[in-house]
Amino acid sequence: MTTGQRVMVRQWGETPLQTLKDHVNLQTMARPTSLEPDEILLRVRSCAVGWVDLIMMSGQYQHQVQPPYTPGIEFAGEVAAIGAAVTDHRVGDRVLADGFRTGPRSDGPHQRWGGFATWSVLRADAAFPLPDTLSFDQAVNLLGNYETAYHVLRARGQLQPGETVIVLGASGSTGLAGVRLAKQLGATVIAVGRTQTKLDRVAELGADHVLTPGEGERWLRDAVRDITGGQGADVVWDGVGGPISIHALRALRFGGRFCIVGWAATPFVARGKGQRGAPNANQLPTNLVQMKGIDVLGCPAVIATLHDPSLRPHRLAWIWDQVRNGTLRPHAGPGYALGDFNDALRAKWSSQHVGGCVLHP
C-alpha cells in the first residue's frame, strides 16, 4: 500500500463541533518513505476517540497543538518500517504508541503525527511492545485511562481497601477505568451517571451501586448515606464538574477526599480558538469544603508527571504487570472506519457509548 488517509485539523474553531464542521477533513496521504535513524513507521490499526481529542480541536485544552495536525492521542498498530539505528523493534511487531512521547499530546516534532491516519511516524522509544493477550482496540484504551485512574485513586486519593468511592461520569472512558481499578483495590464503588442503560453496563463491569440524578439538593447525599450506613463516602472521583460536584461534596464524610479529574459537563470553561483564560471556570462552595474538612485534590495525571517524572515508572510497571497476569483487560467500545471519524467524534461528544469508541484506519 503506497497511499492512505489521514484526518487533518486545519485550524481551531470556537468549539469542537464548529471546528469539526468547518475545519477538519479527510485527506489522502502517501506512505512516508524517509525516516530518521531513531524513527519507526507505524501502520495504525486502532486509535481511541478521546474527549481530549475534541477539546484540543478548538484549542481549549491546556496543551495546545498548532494546526495543521492529525488528531488521535492513543493508537496502536504494526511496525511497517524502521530507521537505520532502531534495534528494539522489527517490521511486523505489534506496538502501542506512547501518547506522552508522540502524537498531539507530546512535545517536539512528532506532535502532528496523531493516530487518525493510515500511518504515523514516531520515535522508536515511544513504542511499547504489545503482548498477544491485548487486542489493538484494548491497547488504545489502556494507558490514558488507567494511568489516570492510578494517579487519581492511588497517588492522589490514597484509596484504601474497604473504603467507598463515588465515581461521577462512570460510563465514560476514564470513569469506567476508575470504577474497575477501585474494585481491584478493594473499594465499594458507587457509579453515578445520567443514563440507566449505560449504568447497567457499568454495574456488569464492576460497580457495586449505580445512581442517576434525583430531586432536591441532597439526593446524592441521602442515597450515599443509605448505602454507607449513614457515614458518607470516603472519596469522590469528579470527572464531570458543574452542579453535580456540589451534590458529591455533600455526599462525602467528614475528612473525605474530593478528586478533580475533569470537567466533561462544562467543556467551555475556556475560550475557543486557542485563547487562554477560563472565563467560565467551575466553582466549588468553600463553606462545604471548610465545614466538612474535605481535601480537594487536583489530579492532572499528565501535567503532574511532567512536573515529576518519577511518578510514571512505578505506575507503568504496575499497569503492565496487571496486563501480563490477566487482571487488567481494558474495555473497548465499538469501532468506526476512518472515513466515519465525524460520526465517531460526535458519538464521543454526546457520550453515546459506554467507555467510548475507536477508529480503525
Side-chain angles (χ1 to χ4, degrees):
M1 181 188 295
T2 58
T3 60
Q5 294 178 307
R6 63 185 174 191
V7 176
M8 291 296 291
V9 178
R10 302 188 308 276
Q11 66 183 72
W12 290 324
E14 287 287 352
T15 69
L17 292 186
Q18 191 261 317
T19 306
L20 190 58
K21 175 178 177 291
D22 295 333
H23 306 304
V24 183
N25 69 324
L26 189 65
Q27 300 178 356
T28 299
M29 71 176 298
R31 171 176 166 145
T33 57
S34 178
L35 295 175
E36 295 295 322
D38 64 343
E39 290 180 333
I40 66 174
L41 175 65
L42 189 67
R43 172 65 172 93
V44 182
R45 295 298 183 183
S46 182
C47 184
V49 179
W51 180 257
V52 172
D53 290 310
L54 282 153
I55 299 298
M56 273 187 174
M57 286 182 177
S58 54
Q60 291 174 293
Y61 192 62
Q62 58 264 31
H63 178 81
Q64 296 182 336
V65 184
Q66 292 293 328
Y69 73 94
T70 294
I73 293 170
E74 298 181 73
F75 53 97
E78 298 146 347
V79 176
I82 61 174
V86 175
T87 58
D88 293 338
H89 303 285
R90 295 180 298 177
V91 172
D93 285 354
R94 301 169 72 250
V95 300
L96 171 64
D98 182 1
F100 273 73
R101 291 181 282 184
T102 195
R105 208 178 209 168
S106 68
D107 292 320
H110 294 86
Q111 276 189 339
R112 64 189 181 93
W113 290 100
F116 286 20
T118 306
W119 291 289
S120 183
V121 174
L122 56 151
R123 292 202 327 260
D125 64 0
F128 290 108
L130 276 183
D132 292 336
T133 52
L134 275 189
S135 70
F136 288 129
D137 286 0
Q138 289 174 318
V140 301
N141 283 280
L142 176 65
L143 294 184
N145 294 332
Y146 282 91
E147 284 199 71
T148 297
Y150 188 100
H151 182 69
V152 174
L153 295 178
R154 297 195 71 172
R156 298 292 281 158
Q158 297 291 306
L159 185 66
Q160 302 299 312
E163 291 190 320
T164 298
V165 57
I166 301 169
V167 179
L168 305 180
S171 64
S173 299
T174 54
L176 184 58
V179 168
R180 301 181 78 182
L181 179 58
K183 284 305 301 175
Q184 193 170 342
L185 296 176
T188 297
V189 179
I190 302 172
V192 181
R194 295 174 296 174
T195 308
Q196 187 63 48
T197 302
K198 290 196 291 184
L199 286 176
D200 289 343
R201 178 62 176 144
V202 175
E204 292 174 2
L205 292 168
D208 298 287
H209 308 273
V210 296
L211 298 172
T212 55
E215 299 295 329
E217 293 181 354
R218 299 183 177 183
W219 67 268
L220 185 55
R221 188 205 72 162
D222 292 346
V224 170
R225 287 192 175 184
D226 285 344
I227 292 168
T228 59
Q231 297 302 305
D234 300 284
V235 176
V236 164
W237 165 302
D238 185 5
V240 178
I244 190 70
S245 300
I246 301 175
H247 290 290
L249 280 171
R250 296 184 188 278
L252 276 171
R253 65 165 176 81
F254 183 87
R257 289 96 75 196
F258 189 89
C259 298
I260 301 173
V261 190
W263 54 95
T266 57
F268 305 128
V269 294
R271 299 180 179 92
K273 293 187 177 181
Q275 300 176 80
R276 289 300 189 184
N280 306 306
N282 285 324
Q283 299 181 41
L284 292 176
T286 55
N287 59 309
L288 284 178
V289 173
Q290 164 73 357
M291 298 311 295
K292 293 174 71 71
I294 293 169
D295 291 334
V296 177
L297 303 166
C299 304
V302 174
I303 295 173
T305 304
L306 293 175
H307 282 274
D308 182 5
S310 70
L311 290 171
R312 200 174 191 220
H314 178 78
R315 186 170 73 209
L316 283 176
W318 185 89
I319 289 172
W320 288 115
D321 281 346
Q322 300 305 304
V323 168
R324 282 189 288 268
N325 66 29
T327 57
L328 179 51
R329 288 290 178 269
H331 174 79
Y336 289 76
L338 184 60
D340 295 325
F341 73 91
N342 200 306
D343 293 337
L345 284 163
R346 290 178 183 276
K348 181 63 178 179
W349 183 258
S350 61
S351 303
Q352 184 174 327
H353 305 298
V354 174
C357 54
V358 297
L359 283 180
H360 291 150

